[in-house]
Amino acid sequence: MTTEAPPFERAFRVEGITRVEGEGSLHLVVRGGAVTEARLKIFEAPRYFEQLVVGRHPDQVLDIVARICGICPEAYQMSAAGAFESIFGVDVDPQVRALRRLLYAGEYIESHGLHVYLLHAPDFLGYASAIDLAKDHRAIVEQGLALKKVGNDLMRTVGGRAIHPVNVRVGGLYHVPSRDELLAMRPALATALQQAKATLDFVAQFQAPPFERDVRLVSLRHPTEYPLFAGRIVSYDGSIDIAIGDWRTVFHEEHHEGSNALHARTATGETYQLGPSARVSIAADQLHPIAREALDRTGLAAQIARNPFWSIAARGVELIHYCAEAIDIIDGYQRPPRPFEPWTPRAGAAGWGSEAPRGTCWHHWETDARGMVTHAQIVPPTSQNQGQIEADLRDFAPAVLGLDHEAATRRLEQLIRSYDPCISCATHFLDLTVEGA
Amino acid sequence: MGRAATTPRPRLGVVKLASCDGCQLMLLDLEDELLAIAERIDIVEFPEASTHRSSGPYDVVLVEGSVSTPEQLEQILEVRREAKLLVTIGACATAGGIQAMRNWREHDAFRAAVYAHPEYVDSLATAQPVADYVKVDAELRGCPISAEQLVEFVTALLTGRRANLPDEAVCADCKRAGRVCVMVARGIPCLGPVTMTGCGSLCPGFDRGCYACFGPREQANVASLSREFIRTGLPPVEAGRLFAGFTGYAEPFRALVTELGGVPGTTAVPHAASAADTAAARPGGTR
Amino acid sequence: MTTVTRSAIGFLPRADFQRLIDLLSEDDRTVIGPTVADGAIVYGEVRAVSDLPRGIGAEQAPGSYRLVDRGNDLLFAYTVGPTSWKRFVFPPTLAVSRSHRDEDGHVSFGPVPKEIPKLAFLGVRACELAALGVEDRVFLGGPYTDEDYRARRTRSLVVAVQCAEPAGTCFCTSMGTGPGVRSGHDLLLIELDDGFVVTAGSPVGSAILDQLDLEEASADQITAGSDQLAAARQRIGDPVVAAGLHDRLMAKLDSPRWADVAERCLACTNCTASCPTCFCTSVSQRSDLDGQTSVTERRWESCFTKGFSTVALGGNFRPRVQDRYRQWLTHKFATWIDQFGTSGCVGCGRCITWCPVGIDVREELNVIAPPPQVVLGNGKGSEAHSPRTSVFRVDAARRETQDTVTLTLSTPSGIDWSKLHGEFVMVSVPAVGSVPISISRRLPTGMELTIRGVGPASTILTGLGHGAEVGLSAPLGRGWPVDMAEDHDVLIVGGGMGLPPLRPVVDEIIEHRAKFGEVRIYHGARTPGDLLYAEELARWAARGDLEVGVTVDRADATWLGRVGVVTHLFDHARWDGTKAIAFVCGPERMIQATVTTLALHGVTSDRIFVSMERHMECGVGLCGHCQMGPYFVCKDGPVFSLAQLGDVFGREGI
């Protein structure tokens, strides 16, 4: 029809996004003020975990799946453990279950502490990295490192080490600490709780880009506890409410060209958002009273549900929640008589999920009569968020086109980082190339 | 003395190949030392900003991850050119990691089993440790590496001493800590005697056997240990499974894993003196 | 109540044991004693009797340790666990000094200030007391001393406990360190059912004993204590002969057993770490990032780690595991004595229990450096009862030489040679006497004996014909270890009457020819008329798969063969003896000459077997005549390896 002149095109290439099973790049094509293309490319070398676990014993599988992620190994261990315990019909002792929550709480404190202070706050404050931020505001960065350290120490106490804890096995744990060992963590956690509150006050003051949109928030929800490794899979708008094993009835994975990660969509092909924003919205009533009160004081609940940049506040709320819950668990702790329940292997299949700091990590496991794994499906949270990240970038990019190139680039990075795709470089990772006239 | 203002700070980069990020996270987990280290070392790339190496040269590069794609192979060759000291960190870089378990299997079948469109996925047939492709100047082992060893390495770099990274069995740390041997007192198979320590004998301290995060130590006598496992009732293939873990691709674990068929989907390949045979016909003695 | 005086023995009722703990804990002293943790009895802090392992015992074996519930009230019914007192006087890691280097380059060095705690060791066994004594010599007995050790040692009080329940791995008896406690303790407790017999071993102990203010122990209680000790001693036995072990061990630095152990040894350092006397350490520097302030840290190390013996530029004087195992064993049991005046081993058995693959030093010592009366061989002697004489019939008699006859003898039941082993039989001629004759061929119906008439009985035997009856004992003595020669080359050297005892060897080799390498048979006689089995020798040579050489000292007119001593048949030839086993029999001078020649060809003494001769009267080692050094030739021989004989062979007047 009409021959159009080559459109004014700006291509944003975002390189070095990590933790979508590794690294990724973003390619946006903007034409005439509208984003015509947004593609998130993953080029992390595939490690084939779903094949590596076939034929292995469930306890060895728990050690293996931790290695899917160095920052949230517990998410993978707990999701897998939940599935195996479902297949083998194992009820974990309540005190041991509380210890698992404690271990996972340590992971939250460490992961959120890392993200808020070292990865995301510099964006809001205009620094290229946390190291640079520390030159002007050393105390702030030190507070973040101290919080992170408490999370790590908690993981060391309950799990052996923070990265790839060694203590989780099917049926419970290998080793349960004494009451004295846990009580020794209490003073540090009490300090951490104060620091977590200060963190939320701190981030609540930030200027977040005004980017609100309708989004389908999804997370676990449990009748009595803040969702962690049990419950139902629900959406904030109520349209999704399924048993934890039924993920596949509503969601599915797709393999897109240029990506080594599988994208997830709803059955109708829609994107959705997992993570702290989803949880804080869906399970606000299950937050620890101290965290709930702090959330209310910020007045940011609505923003958290609609503006991805405010996930930093949701993380602040969860930091408070998990410091408080950890203290409660320790105060109520009685050393259980045995660290794990014995179990009998049987053939079966089960799906299970747990809430990694960055969202629901869902697994499906199948075993043979000896209990060995015959099939595994592992759906990480960040690959589920990918579609929504792409959608957000497509919708947000027009708002920053008016800024200078450098600023626009930083804003796009900040948006990606609000989804907490694990380690992202604190330095510039977005390469922006301008094509066209 | 030490680093005066006139001495430029060493330039340090961190490179990630196929890995979980856990080892480079250890650097950020040095909560007490991170800022002090950042004052004395110029951390210029962490993690690297681009998939293609365009910056350098470096005094030290820490490399995490195994070489698993053609791109990573190119990348590591360039890193080697740009780095004075190339240091591999973690089981993936030093031994191939858990993903090296696929090296025993048919790659295309593997890829097709995981990805609906395997043609979209570009990877090498095997996952290899970095030293298989380039000269490595030093290594920090572990899955993940140890914070103490990382700090010791950095300190040794700055002070000019030889880093104290002893190559001895996990048993040495167990006994120094006064831990009770899980094998002798509870019959739990433990790879500690053949594994290099660095973790502070973590797993025996948590009532389980070592599973060799730090990989085989010097002259690891895997034949004797696997014979012992088999003698106490573990089927040979299960003994092989124990060794076929995060450092199973490193020798002498690799040969034993092959011999016992430790990787699921493979069969045992016994040679002249297989562990199972020698377990049955042990030379004289009380056992 | 009679107050117990310094030299008396008190009795502490079980119900009052807490008083002892309380007394020991006075003045900020921490009591360290046995506690149950992680499946073992380990030394930890003890505040109350309930902290002690009541009713718990431990079953120990090589590579295995299991707690058991004894179901009683005893507090000390076990022996040693994985930890020793060593870690309290010689800590696993210790900051030993510190240094500082400032910005101008000035350096300074100094000690690390530390608090040494006051400790009471509750439950120290005799072997552990001995171990502390060994450590005292190591750390305090030389020109340089470990003052940290001294401080910790002097600030610790030792309450010993007598062992009532030795473990399967104990051998304190062999090492002369127990089970009785003799000295080095402050207090000694002997646990009986209703309480403890308590004695003091030092002024400090006496003071505590006074404070305890106990009733005197009764005679029955004291007797029960010594009975307990005797029973313990008996249960342990005497597994290792420590006397002379130093020299025996140092003579075996080339034993093939070192390589065998190395195949099993993991070099994991568990033995050295659990040993209460091993003291090797390494030091390393721990500094701040700038290297300005640093601490020298000492930690337990082990000679089993390869890096332990590495030198500059990467060289290593003990590169193999077998080198390092040998270093450890010879140091512990031999060179330690040269260094410190005592053995390094106290017989606690920890290295045996805590070796993951169960290497047992008692066994290794007995194989590598056996005490003299343990003889290597096939161990299959004759039946252990009074010897019997059975009737045999002469089926045939063949004259071999002027004075030598081969008798073929049989008995109705025949002989099952798979069950009976021996090199000779005692042949009885009623009213005349019994003589020992080597078996020169085994037959299902009986045997052949080649007899030279030198005395009354043997002369009568050489005159017997078909149908005559004689008495034979069962086969006696240790014979030729033909199975050891499998996969080897074989040399058979029979001088004169030395050939008949070797003929069964040739029979066996021929029957299983494929199992052996090159086989050479040499026979020498004084004259052609003295050659034995001439036709048989020719038949052997004609086979083509045996080399046969015959020589005589003095030829006659008809002799066309070799002349000379039998060694000339093989001394000139070039053959490799390193894979050969030799069986040699004949006059002792001939054996000596043969042995010398064999050695020149690389046949080592452990691969040369000889048959010795002495006056054998009873044939079963009860009359004493045939003793040769420590051996009874009839019972320990007559076949010996040269290595076994050592000095005894060729020595005049033995």
Side-chain angles (χ1 to χ4, degrees):
Chain A
M1 304 286 271
T2 14
T3 13
E4 292 184 284
F8 181 70
E9 200 172 283
R10 280 167 80 178
F12 292 80
R13 248 180 337 129
V14 177
E15 314 236 334
I17 314 162
T18 56
R19 196 46 19 226
V20 247
E21 273 190 79
E23 303 150 23
S25 77
L26 171 70
H27 190 80
L28 281 183
V29 180
V30 181
R31 281 204 177 101
V35 174
T36 54
E37 231 177 285
R39 260 185 323 166
L40 205 49
K41 280 190 180 203
I42 308 304
F43 42 80
E44 158 74 4
R47 288 180 292 147
Y48 302 113
F49 275 94
E50 288 159 327
Q51 271 298 296
L52 292 177
V53 294
V54 171
R56 298 268 184 175
H57 185 279
D59 286 330
Q60 209 180 23
V61 168
L62 294 189
D63 292 330
I64 293 175
V65 295
R67 268 75 181 178
I68 294 175
C69 180
I71 297 163
C72 53
E74 273 328 296
Y76 290 90
Q77 293 200 315
M78 298 295 185
S79 300
F84 290 128
E85 281 150 8
S86 172
I87 295 174
F88 304 134
V90 184
D91 281 320
V92 176
D93 175 286
Q95 275 293 348
V96 176
R97 191 178 185 282
L99 283 171
R100 281 185 171 180
R101 276 194 78 95
L102 192 59
L103 175 61
Y104 218 154
E107 181 163 286
Y108 265 77
I109 297 167
E110 173 263 316
S111 175
H112 283 351
L114 168 76
H115 190 263
V116 167
Y117 284 94
L118 270 67
L119 304 182
H120 214 196
D123 286 338
F124 288 90
L125 299 172
Y127 287 92
S129 72
I131 309 277
D132 292 341
L133 172 60
K135 291 189 182 122
D136 291 347
H137 302 284
R138 195 181 175 101
I140 292 175
V141 177
E142 280 180 343
Q143 172 158 281
L145 290 173
L147 250 181
K148 189 163 110 30
K149 184 174 160 70
V150 170
N152 279 338
D153 285 344
L154 191 53
M155 291 187 81
R156 279 181 208 120
T157 303
V158 185
R161 60 185 169 201
I163 301 172
H164 308 322
V166 302
N167 201 16
V168 183
R169 64 181 292 173
V170 174
L173 302 170
Y174 285 95
H175 170 85
V176 289
S178 68
R179 196 169 150 70
D180 283 345
E181 282 177 87
L182 288 188
L183 282 172
M185 283 289 320
R186 211 190 178 291
L189 279 164
T191 309
L193 179 56
Q194 298 315 310
Q195 289 172 327
K197 287 184 187 166
T199 302
L200 182 56
D201 291 342
F202 173 54
V203 304
Q205 312 292 327
F206 287 170
Q207 301 288 328
F211 174 56
E212 295 183 40
R213 74 277 190 262
D214 287 323
V215 67
R216 175 172 279 103
L217 300 171
V218 176
S219 82
L220 292 180
R221 185 180 157 80
H222 189 276
T224 56
E225 62 192 23
Y226 193 67
L228 196 50
F229 46 49
R232 296 176 64 81
I233 302 173
V234 307
S235 64
Y236 188 42
D237 64 7
S239 62
I240 298 171
D241 185 346
I242 54 176
I244 200 170
D246 290 344
W247 185 89
R248 293 195 286 206
T249 60
V250 172
F251 304 95
H252 66 275
E253 290 187 288
E254 305 169 346
H255 192 190
H256 291 185
E257 184 178 351
S259 179
N260 291 358
L262 301 173
H263 292 221
R265 295 283 185 278
T266 64
T268 46
E270 285 157 20
T271 60
Y272 55 101
Q273 178 180 347
L274 308 171
S277 301
R279 289 189 293 264
V280 165
S281 305
I282 289 169
D285 56 328
Q286 301 289 11
L287 281 168
H288 194 283
I290 302 177
R292 183 64 198 270
E293 193 264 337
L295 169 63
D296 292 341
R297 256 187 310 114
T298 64
L300 285 170
Q303 283 295 310
I304 284 169
R306 298 180 56 75
N307 183 341
F309 289 98
W310 277 118
S311 64
I312 197 170
R315 287 190 190 90
V317 171
E318 288 190 331
L319 271 170
I320 298 171
H321 170 86
Y322 277 111
C323 287
E325 181 176 341
I327 292 171
D328 288 349
I329 291 175
I330 289 175
D331 284 344
Y333 180 66
Q334 298 295 326
R335 190 177 200 175
R338 53 182 186 187
F340 65 94
E341 299 304 308
W343 49 274
T344 319
R346 68 170 97 125
W352 206 269
S354 75
E355 287 293 322
R358 46 208 50 77
T360 320
C361 179
W362 193 80
H363 292 199
H364 189 267
W365 294 89
E366 292 172 34
T367 58
D368 64 20
R370 289 184 311 135
M372 302 298 176
V373 171
T374 53
H375 189 266
Q377 180 182 6
I378 298 172
V379 190
T382 309
S383 69
Q384 295 178 70
N385 276 337
Q386 247 178 279
Q388 189 61 44
I389 298 176
E390 286 177 1
D392 281 355
L393 284 163
R394 208 169 40 233
D395 296 338
F396 178 69
V400 301
L401 291 181
L403 299 174
D404 71 67
H405 197 80
E406 178 79 7
T409 309
R410 294 288 89 82
R411 280 287 186 230
L412 290 172
E413 283 177 7
Q414 185 179 353
L415 176 57
I416 294 169
R417 269 198 280 269
S418 71
Y419 282 85
D420 185 8
C422 299
I423 286 186
S424 32
C425 186
T427 65
H428 307 286
F429 64 79
L430 190 66
D431 271 337
L432 186 63
T433 344
V434 178
E435 294 176 26
Chain B
M1 254 172 65
R3 304 281 148 185
T6 50
T7 322
R9 296 183 298 161
R11 288 167 54 86
L12 180 137
V14 181
V15 167
K16 174 181 147 46
L17 305 176
S19 69
C20 76
D21 274 1
C23 288
Q24 56 183 296
L25 180 61
M26 282 309 292
L27 192 49
L28 289 182
D29 273 3
L30 297 180
E31 293 103 2
D32 296 330
E33 294 95 348
L34 182 63
L35 293 179
I37 289 175
E39 280 164 13
R40 290 161 178 77
I41 293 184
D42 197 3
I43 304 176
V44 295
E45 310 282 334
F46 180 28
E48 60 166 345
S50 90
T51 53
H52 301 287
R53 307 293 302 118
S54 56
S55 35
Y58 303 95
D59 293 301
V60 182
V61 171
L62 305 178
V63 180
E64 172 194 298
S66 62
V67 179
S68 303
T69 66
E71 211 162 45
Q72 286 169 346
L73 177 48
E74 262 188 59
Q75 188 182 350
I76 198 63
L77 294 173
E78 187 170 349
V79 166
R80 178 70 270 189
R81 282 194 287 272
E82 296 290 329
K84 276 209 200 103
L85 214 65
L86 191 153
V87 182
T88 45
I89 60 172
C92 297
T94 59
I98 189 68
Q99 58 270 31
M101 289 301 107
R102 81 164 196 256
N103 297 354
W104 276 266
R105 304 283 305 280
E106 221 292 303
H107 175 242
D108 286 344
F110 237 55
R111 188 168 55 178
V114 174
Y115 292 101
H117 290 277
E119 64 274 17
Y120 290 163
V121 173
D122 184 21
S123 81
L124 296 171
T126 59
Q128 304 286 142
V130 170
D132 280 5
Y133 294 108
V134 296
K135 175 172 164 294
V136 169
D137 300 304
E139 58 178 27
L140 290 172
R141 303 222 220 136
C143 186
I145 56 175
S146 138
E148 284 79 25
Q149 290 196 339
L150 182 57
V151 172
E152 167 63 18
F153 183 78
V154 169
T155 310
L157 203 66
L158 293 171
T159 56
R161 70 162 178 266
R162 181 182 297 132
N164 181 33
L165 305 169
D167 190 349
E168 56 182 9
V170 176
C171 307
D173 269 343
C174 259
K175 287 293 193 284
R176 281 190 280 256
R179 295 202 217 286
V180 178
C181 178
V182 298
M183 253 185 88
V184 170
R186 286 188 271 185
I188 298 174
C190 176
L191 296 184
V194 296
T195 303
M196 181 174 148
T197 192
C199 61
S201 74
L202 187 63
C203 284
F206 271 76
D207 300 330
R208 59 175 300 186
C210 162
Y211 58 88
C213 292
F214 278 67
R217 49 178 282 246
E218 47 90 7
Q219 294 177 322
N221 193 346
V222 296
S224 175
L225 189 62
S226 57
R227 269 200 306 266
E228 185 61 25
F229 292 159
I230 293 168
R231 196 195 65 82
T232 52
L234 205 61
V237 73
E238 293 300 318
R241 284 275 192 284
L242 283 178
F243 286 90
F246 306 94
T247 52
Y249 193 64
E251 290 291 10
F253 290 175
R254 190 197 312 184
L256 186 73
V257 168
T258 303
E259 185 186 314
L260 298 177
V263 176
T266 62
T267 45
V269 183
H271 60 76
S274 86
D277 286 340
T278 25
R282 212 192 76 69
T286 54
R287 286 165 78 64
Chain C
M1 184 155 60
T2 330
T3 307
V4 171
T5 59
R6 200 160 284 217
S7 58
I9 306 175
F11 187 79
L12 176 67
R14 183 167 293 286
D16 293 347
F17 194 80
Q18 184 66 41
R19 288 181 55 220
L20 174 61
I21 298 177
D22 294 338
L23 262 177
L24 293 172
S25 311
E26 279 178 6
D27 292 328
D28 289 324
R29 191 178 290 275
T30 306
V31 178
I32 308 285
T35 62
V36 176
D38 301 327
I41 296 172
V42 300
Y43 295 136
E45 196 172 328
V46 167
R47 289 194 204 110
V49 179
S50 53
D51 293 332
L52 295 167
R54 184 162 68 95
I56 307 277
E59 302 283 324
Q60 300 192 40
S64 171
Y65 181 104
R66 292 291 184 279
L67 290 180
V68 292
D69 192 345
R70 300 223 192 269
N72 56 32
D73 283 331
L74 299 174
L75 301 175
F76 297 101
Y78 44 84
T79 57
V80 299
T83 54
S84 70
W85 301 105
K86 174 169 96 166
R87 65 187 304 107
F88 299 103
V89 290
F90 175 60
T93 49
L94 185 71
V96 292
S97 67
R98 61 179 178 185
S99 62
H100 189 78
R101 179 176 57 185
D102 69 20
E103 310 218 321
D104 303 319
H106 296 299
V107 300
S108 63
F109 300 88
V112 174
K114 55 181 105 98
E115 274 275 339
I116 309 271
K118 276 168 43 181
L119 302 174
F121 299 154
L122 174 62
V124 181
R125 307 296 169 152
C127 59
E128 300 181 305
L129 266 176
L132 287 169
V134 170
E135 289 190 298
D136 289 346
R137 286 190 193 230
V138 172
F139 293 123
L140 304 177
Y144 296 101
T145 56
D146 182 342
E147 292 305 312
D148 181 87
Y149 174 87
R150 189 198 301 277
R152 290 176 199 275
R153 189 80 164 93
T154 43
R155 285 168 81 78
S156 53
L157 217 142
V158 176
V159 179
V161 164
Q162 180 171 281
C163 284
E165 291 283 339
T169 46
C170 290
F171 61 107
C172 57
T173 48
S174 295
M175 303 316 296
T177 57
V181 169
R182 287 190 292 271
S183 66
H185 57 291
D186 294 304
L187 282 172
L188 169 62
L189 307 174
I190 300 174
E191 183 170 27
L192 306 174
D193 282 334
D194 49 347
F196 301 81
V197 174
V198 187
T199 53
S202 73
V204 170
S206 298
I208 297 176
L209 196 51
D210 286 345
Q211 282 182 277
L212 276 172
D213 197 24
L214 302 172
E215 294 251 359
E216 245 186 270
S218 70
D220 281 344
Q221 287 165 338
I222 295 171
T223 305
S226 3
D227 287 347
Q228 184 191 83
L229 185 61
R233 189 175 284 119
Q234 175 152 55
R235 270 169 67 178
I236 301 171
D238 189 9
V240 174
V241 176
L245 181 56
H246 174 289
D247 292 348
R248 293 205 311 272
L249 196 53
M250 294 313 287
K252 287 306 181 76
L253 297 181
D254 293 320
S255 168
R257 184 74 175 192
W258 300 118
D260 179 84
V261 180
E263 254 196 83
R264 290 173 277 143
C265 175
L266 304 171
C268 61
T269 78
N270 274 300
C271 49
T272 53
S274 51
C275 174
T277 62
C278 272
F279 61 87
C280 289
T281 55
S282 283
V283 291
S284 56
Q285 303 298 312
R286 294 205 174 286
S287 73
D288 59 6
L289 287 169
D290 299 316
Q292 285 186 342
T293 307
S294 68
V295 161
T296 298
E297 185 183 83
R298 180 190 79 185
R299 57 186 218 151
W300 287 358
E301 271 293 355
S302 171
C303 54
F304 276 94
T305 302
K306 188 172 178 195
F308 190 77
S309 47
T310 303
V311 297
L313 301 176
N316 195 313
F317 286 93
R318 288 196 282 266
R320 304 173 299 181
V321 172
Q322 75 183 71
D323 304 325
R324 307 201 285 269
Y325 189 86
R326 183 177 67 183
Q327 158 63 18
W328 179 65
L329 203 70
T330 54
H331 185 212
K332 188 63 60 184
F333 289 94
T335 56
W336 199 294
I337 303 174
D338 303 319
Q339 295 167 346
F340 302 107
T342 65
S343 176
C345 175
V346 296
C348 71
R350 283 183 178 91
C351 59
I352 303 170
T353 299
W354 297 98
C355 172
V357 293
I359 296 172
D360 187 335
V361 288
R362 299 170 299 184
E363 179 193 336
E364 298 307 318
L365 287 171
N366 282 328
V367 170
I368 295 169
Q373 57 263 37
V374 172
V375 174
L376 295 172
N378 61 12
K380 294 172 191 134
S382 13
E383 309 134 56
H385 55 255
S386 292
R388 245 182 17 176
T389 304
S390 310
V391 177
F392 275 67
R393 214 177 66 128
V394 175
D395 288 334
R398 180 177 69 249
R399 182 153 291 279
E400 303 280 353
T401 70
Q402 201 183 3
D403 57 1
T404 309
V405 165
T406 297
L407 296 177
T408 306
L409 298 146
S410 67
T411 190
S413 55
I415 295 188
D416 183 357
W417 289 102
S418 70
K419 293 207 169 72
L420 291 177
H421 303 271
E423 198 271 349
F424 68 96
V425 288
M426 294 303 290
V427 185
S428 299
V429 181
V432 181
S434 300
V435 286
I437 307 285
S438 294
I439 299 162
S440 65
R441 175 153 285 154
R442 295 172 175 180
L443 300 168
T445 47
M447 66 187 80
E448 284 186 14
L449 300 176
T450 302
I451 306 166
R452 186 157 141 227
V454 294
S458 56
T459 305
I460 289 174
L461 290 171
T462 56
L464 292 177
H466 176 86
E469 288 183 351
V470 289
L472 257 56
S473 69
L476 299 169
R478 290 178 200 270
W480 305 97
V482 185
D483 50 342
M484 275 192 64
E486 283 174 21
D487 298 323
H488 286 77
D489 297 333
V490 188
L491 256 108
I492 296 170
V493 186
M497 281 301 289
L499 187 58
L502 288 167
R503 195 169 63 158
V505 176
V506 181
D507 286 343
E508 203 173 319
I509 288 178
I510 286 174
E511 197 185 326
H512 304 284
R513 181 64 188 91
K515 289 188 181 174
F516 305 90
E518 290 179 8
V519 179
R520 301 183 174 86
I521 306 165
Y522 301 117
H523 177 48
R526 271 173 302 159
T527 71
D530 294 307
L531 286 168
L532 295 170
Y533 309 138
E535 281 161 24
E536 206 152 355
L537 283 165
R539 272 206 301 280
W540 290 345
R543 283 173 58 95
D545 62 357
L546 305 170
E547 185 187 310
V548 179
V550 175
T551 185
V552 296
D553 295 344
R554 275 192 336 268
D556 61 19
T558 67
W559 182 248
L560 298 170
R562 303 283 306 266
V563 177
V565 293
V566 70
T567 49
H568 284 174
L569 290 171
F570 50 87
D571 62 3
H572 62 285
R574 251 187 235 105
W575 47 275
D576 181 9
T578 54
K579 298 203 179 28
I581 302 264
F583 301 120
V584 185
C585 187
E588 205 159 311
R589 274 229 306 259
M590 173 234 127
I591 298 182
Q592 282 180 31
T594 304
V595 159
T596 309
T597 307
L598 292 176
L600 290 173
H601 285 272
V603 190
T604 52
S605 62
D606 55 315
R607 285 181 284 115
I608 302 175
F609 293 88
V610 300
S611 181
M612 301 304 291
E613 198 183 311
R614 286 292 187 277
H615 180 139
M616 294 204 281
E617 182 127 323
C618 70
V620 292
L622 291 175
C623 70
H625 283 263
C626 70
Q627 289 181 76
M628 180 180 73
Y631 302 115
F632 288 87
V633 175
C634 68
K635 186 177 67 163
D636 303 316
V639 175
F640 296 89
S641 82
L642 218 58
Q644 217 177 316
L645 291 177
D647 245 355
V648 165
F649 180 76
R651 182 181 280 273
E652 290 282 341
I654 286 239

